[in-house]
Structures are given as structure tokens and as C-alpha cells.
Amino acid sequence: MTQQGTGTTADRLIADLDKRRTRNTRHAATEAEAGRAAQGSGFSDDPQDSPGGQDNALLDLAHSGGLTTEHLRRMVGVEAQCQHTELAAFALMASRFPHRPAADLYDEMAGLVRAAQPSLADCAKALGMSEHDFRHGPRTYRSYAFGGMLSWIALQGSQAATALALHTDLTVYLSGCAELVRAIREADIRVPDEFLRHYGTASAPELLALAVKATDDGLRRGDDPATAVLAAWLLERSLSDFWRAAAEPAAH
């Protein structure tokens, strides 16, 4: 059932997601120690336990002094895997919703990924990664979680769902990267400049604005806002697995 005519806007949906994220971040901050004591090093997969806020295992390692070069190599390897999936997903979205402003969003997102590929390769070299390690990153369930969820959204999501999910991706992932770089600098962890430059971008305002327009256009066309929020939430949860995939110890 669509919600056409209810007055729901992208800004309202984004505000709801932000409130959920902020509420859960505060909740996590007050209960993190109790949760670790009860669950050891395990992670909860129950959506009711983590309804919103970003769960960045790499950031936790940086704050605790446990971040190593190997974790950064894993992050670069996982991102390289995700980039290939992202380009295919954006192409699929564009084929399903070829009109503007949605098509512009997918094209700009693809351009962002393509533009980032050379600097990611520079990160790999600076971190001493082999070509094989860079092209064939960690192969765990978590390393494929983001790509799998993005692919499902590209295949099944409405225009509003894809656009709102991409807005959430930009918001959460880029801010998570910026926070990680800030934590690395504050802790004076020795990291190649290539890594700091690649992951230091805090936002992409033009793309965020375009995602809002594409979401609003989808809502005006009759897309269900609740389904759009669900897609955004699911993609955000998969980003937690991205961070965890990088934070996991290397398999031997």
C-alpha cells in the first residue's frame, strides 16, 4: 500500500533515521561495558538490540589502542570488494529508474566510486598489500554483507528506497571514515598519508542533496515511505558488518 498524498517527505524520513541513530548511540554508550561483560567479544545480530546507531568496530579498536596495520589492510580489501558491487548495483538502479533525478543520483554515485578507485589502490600500496590481497580481500560473511544488502535493494527496492538507502550510506559511511581518521590522528597511530587522505572526506553535500530530491520524487510517485526507511536501516546495519569484517583477525 502506498503513502501517496500523506505529506511524507525525504527530510522527515531522514530526521526519523537520525533520531533513531542518535537514540541508539546514547543507549550504546551507557550500556557498552555491561554488554561486553555479558557477551564477551560477541556481537548482537538482533535488530531490537541495535535499532539504529552506527556500530564501528574499527573505531572501537582505535580508541582502545588495538588498531593495527593489518586491520587497515582488511578495510582496504573489503572496500575494494564493495566497489565492484556498488558499480553493478548503481547500473541496475539506473536501468530500473532511468528518469531524473534518480538516474542522476545513480550516475553520480558511480562516478564517486570510480574516482575513489585510484586513491584506494594507492592506500593498498602504501600499506604493503600485494595485488592479490587488494583484488581478493577478506572472504567472510561480514565482508560481503554490505554488497549483498545493496544488491538486494538495487533489485527489489523502490526509487525512494534506493535513494534513501544511498543517503544513509553516504551519511553513515563517510562520517564513520572521518571519525576513524580523527581517532587515528588523536592517538598518534602511524598510518600512511595515502590512507588518511583517502578516508578523511567527511561529507558529500551535493550527493546528499541529490539523494533527497530522488527520494522525494519517489514518494510523490507513490513509493511507500516505511519500506524506504526499512531499506535505509538495513543498509546501515550492513555497514556495521563492514567495520567488523575489517576488525576481525586475519584467518590462518
Side-chain angles (χ1 to χ4, degrees):
M1 178 178 179
T2 67
Q3 301 295 318
Q4 191 172 22
T6 63
T8 300
T9 65
D11 284 339
R12 179 177 175 182
L13 300 184
I14 291 165
D16 289 344
L17 287 164
D18 287 343
K19 288 178 182 177
R20 174 187 291 193
R21 192 176 303 122
T22 300
R23 183 173 63 250
N24 192 66
T25 299
R26 291 172 179 168
H27 174 76
T30 59
E31 298 201 358
E33 290 302 324
R36 280 193 288 270
Q39 300 180 17
S41 60
F43 298 103
S44 172
D45 290 322
D46 186 347
Q48 294 182 349
D49 291 339
S50 299
Q54 182 174 186
D55 179 3
N56 189 330
L58 274 190
L59 186 61
D60 292 342
L61 285 174
H63 287 154
S64 67
L67 187 69
T68 68
T69 301
E70 180 58 29
H71 292 126
L72 303 184
R73 292 190 186 105
R74 289 178 64 83
M75 179 179 177
V76 168
V78 176
E79 183 181 348
Q81 290 179 173
C82 291
Q83 286 181 337
H84 294 294
T85 303
E86 286 175 314
L87 291 174
F90 300 150
L92 175 56
M93 292 176 190
S95 71
R96 295 184 60 220
F97 308 108
H99 47 266
R100 305 179 71 179
D104 292 337
L105 172 63
Y106 310 138
D107 182 62
E108 291 294 328
M109 289 293 295
L112 180 69
V113 171
R114 285 192 292 267
Q117 288 179 319
S119 63
L120 186 65
D122 290 341
C123 287
K125 292 178 182 177
L127 289 167
M129 296 176 68
S130 68
E131 184 69 15
H132 180 274
D133 289 342
F134 179 54
R135 299 300 177 188
H136 305 280
R139 296 188 175 186
T140 66
Y141 170 80
R142 284 173 174 154
S143 68
Y144 291 101
F146 172 79
M149 184 53 64
L150 181 64
S151 298
W152 181 82
I153 292 170
L155 184 63
Q156 299 287 346
S158 64
Q159 176 183 311
T162 61
L164 188 63
L166 294 180
H167 187 284
T168 296
D169 177 21
L170 290 167
T171 300
V172 175
Y173 180 66
L174 293 183
S175 66
C177 290
E179 287 180 37
L180 178 62
V181 167
R182 185 162 51 250
I184 288 172
R185 292 185 186 278
E186 291 175 353
D188 200 24
I189 301 172
R190 300 188 66 177
V191 171
D193 290 340
E194 290 86 348
F195 183 93
L196 298 177
R197 285 195 298 269
H198 179 80
Y199 289 105
T201 303
S203 64
E206 296 86 359
L207 272 175
L208 288 170
L210 189 53
V212 169
K213 291 181 180 179
T215 302
D216 276 331
D217 182 64
L219 293 172
R220 285 192 294 269
R221 292 170 182 269
D223 292 347
D224 178 18
T227 303
V229 169
L230 175 62
W233 175 80
L234 289 172
L235 195 65
E236 181 169 344
R237 294 304 300 152
S238 74
L239 282 169
S240 295
D241 280 320
F242 173 93
W243 299 117
R244 291 173 184 176
E248 288 173 337
H252 297 288

